[in-house]
Amino acid sequence: MTTAPDRALTALHGLLTGRGLDLPPNAPKDGRASDEALDRIWETRPFAVAAALTEHVHGVLPLLDAFAAGAPLLDDIRAGHVTASLGLFTPNALLSLTAPAVRAGRDGGRTLLHGRYRYATQDAEASVVPVRLDGATRLALVTHDAAGVRLHGAGRAAGWGWAELDGAPAAALSRPVDWAPGGELTAALDAYAWAFARRALAWPARVIADLRRALARAGEGVEALSTSQYLAHELSKLEIEISLASTAARFGAGFKTEEPGGQAALATLLSTVDLIRRTARTAEDMATELGLEHSPAGVADRPDAADWPDAALQAYFGGRRVVENELARRMGLVPEAVGA
């Protein structure tokens, strides 16, 4: 499941305009315009901005086709006037994507929601959330300013990242969907995973390069920290893993010629989210222990050099444990939580 290029470019333009930004210059006008625009955004914008736009375009937009035409918010989300996030990746007791964390119930002509969900985009105004209703899994559109919605943070995240629903109304409900290998949710997850991994792995690669430059400036001659075999070994391990994962991500859906629901997409995604987390932690540790000037981002003059909050790095796809469990489910190592 993919997003039409013209629709993706429209959404990107709206999302960037709402942030006071412009599309990258000289974007091509053919079918790859949105892909190349996203590539350029990942090169020039902070991780949180690039990841949010990738989720909106490759995660949210394809799933809007499951809603009836004319449903509230659809046009605004497709135009990028409303920033939307995915609430699909909420940890539960089984760490399972197939068990919706939100309950839905009828109240006259309204559908009211109870539970909680995790979302990854700090400035998201709405989320697409899986709910269980009438024995089927559906998607609900939830606006973050609706009555019965309380946003809060977790860990060191302040004020966002989680939503508690206490009788919150669903702005719209989709037709039934499922996590079967050929289902809409699985196809959307896999397409989004490939789109994210291919671009996001460039971020830890740049951070490692920045760290090497910072180490080279910390000391002189043979006393420079860059001459330490121990530190070089730490960075080299990450560089090798990032290179291997990037190669797999560039193959995309053609890797091992697997259909949606296979193991390749989730294995590559697991490597991606784990490498992002480990790279950020390594940069933090080196800055704290070795006295490097810039923490936790490297030394290049880039927009992301001031801030990489843990929540912005680890919230996508629910984090390492959720992705790990979904891969295990596809490998047949854990039971299904909810029948398709």
Side-chain angles (χ1 to χ4, degrees):
M1 180 181 292
T2 57
T3 306
D6 55 344
R7 189 169 69 175
L9 199 60
T10 297
L12 279 175
H13 185 273
L15 292 166
L16 287 168
T17 299
R19 291 167 168 79
L21 306 172
D22 296 318
L23 277 173
N26 303 319
K29 303 302 181 184
D30 60 17
R32 280 193 48 79
S34 58
D35 274 346
E36 296 197 13
L38 262 181
D39 291 343
R40 182 62 177 151
I41 287 166
W42 274 98
E43 293 170 0
T44 59
R45 300 297 178 189
F47 179 95
V49 171
L53 268 57
T54 302
E55 180 174 81
H56 188 110
V57 169
H58 286 284
V60 173
L61 291 187
L63 291 178
L64 296 186
D65 293 338
F67 292 84
L73 291 182
L74 292 189
D75 288 344
D76 283 340
I77 293 174
R78 285 178 173 139
H81 299 154
V82 169
T83 301
S85 187
L86 292 178
L88 301 180
F89 311 112
T90 302
N92 50 44
L94 297 175
L95 296 176
S96 172
L97 299 183
T98 63
V102 174
R103 307 181 306 280
R106 308 282 191 188
D107 181 18
R110 300 191 304 165
T111 301
L112 301 182
L113 309 177
H114 296 267
R116 68 171 191 160
Y117 63 87
R118 185 180 188 180
Y119 66 98
T121 299
Q122 181 171 1
D123 55 357
E125 301 161 274
S127 292
V128 178
V129 182
V131 301
R132 197 74 175 163
L133 181 65
D134 299 334
T137 298
R138 298 175 184 266
L139 299 174
L141 273 176
V142 180
T143 57
H144 288 182
D145 60 356
V149 178
R150 183 178 70 88
L151 305 182
H152 65 93
R156 289 184 290 173
W160 67 278
W162 291 83
E164 295 281 347
L165 306 180
D166 184 12
L173 278 176
S174 77
R175 63 176 178 267
V177 294
D178 61 56
W179 287 103
E184 289 169 287
L185 296 180
T186 299
L189 170 58
D190 285 16
Y192 170 35
W194 287 122
F196 180 87
R198 182 172 69 81
R199 296 174 173 90
L201 284 165
W203 183 84
R206 291 198 303 267
V207 172
I208 297 301
D210 285 348
L211 283 174
R212 287 196 180 280
R213 286 190 286 270
L215 292 171
R217 286 196 286 268
E220 297 179 359
V222 296
E223 299 302 322
L225 285 173
S226 58
T227 64
S228 164
Q229 293 186 11
Y230 173 73
L231 298 177
H233 179 62
E234 280 193 88
L235 298 183
S236 294
K237 286 192 300 181
L238 284 171
E239 284 176 325
I240 292 169
E241 292 182 55
I242 290 167
S243 176
L244 292 173
S246 297
T247 299
R250 283 195 297 272
F251 278 107
F255 186 50
K256 297 183 67 175
T257 63
E258 284 190 334
E259 296 296 323
Q263 299 172 21
L266 267 293
T268 305
L269 178 61
L270 178 58
S271 294
T272 300
V273 297
D274 186 55
L275 284 165
I276 288 170
R277 180 185 64 87
R278 287 167 52 202
T279 298
R281 185 158 297 172
T282 297
E284 283 273 21
D285 289 347
M286 286 192 173
T288 300
E289 297 173 3
L290 307 179
L292 302 186
E293 182 178 355
H294 292 271
S295 172
V299 298
D301 293 326
R302 287 198 308 272
D304 58 356
D307 187 26
W308 317 335
D310 282 350
L313 293 173
Q314 298 192 51
Y316 287 91
F317 300 93
R320 175 176 55 87
R321 290 182 178 86
V322 170
V323 176
E324 188 174 60
N325 192 80
E326 173 62 11
L327 175 60
R329 184 181 73 86
R330 295 187 181 193
M331 295 172 68
L333 301 178
V334 296
E336 296 286 347
V338 176

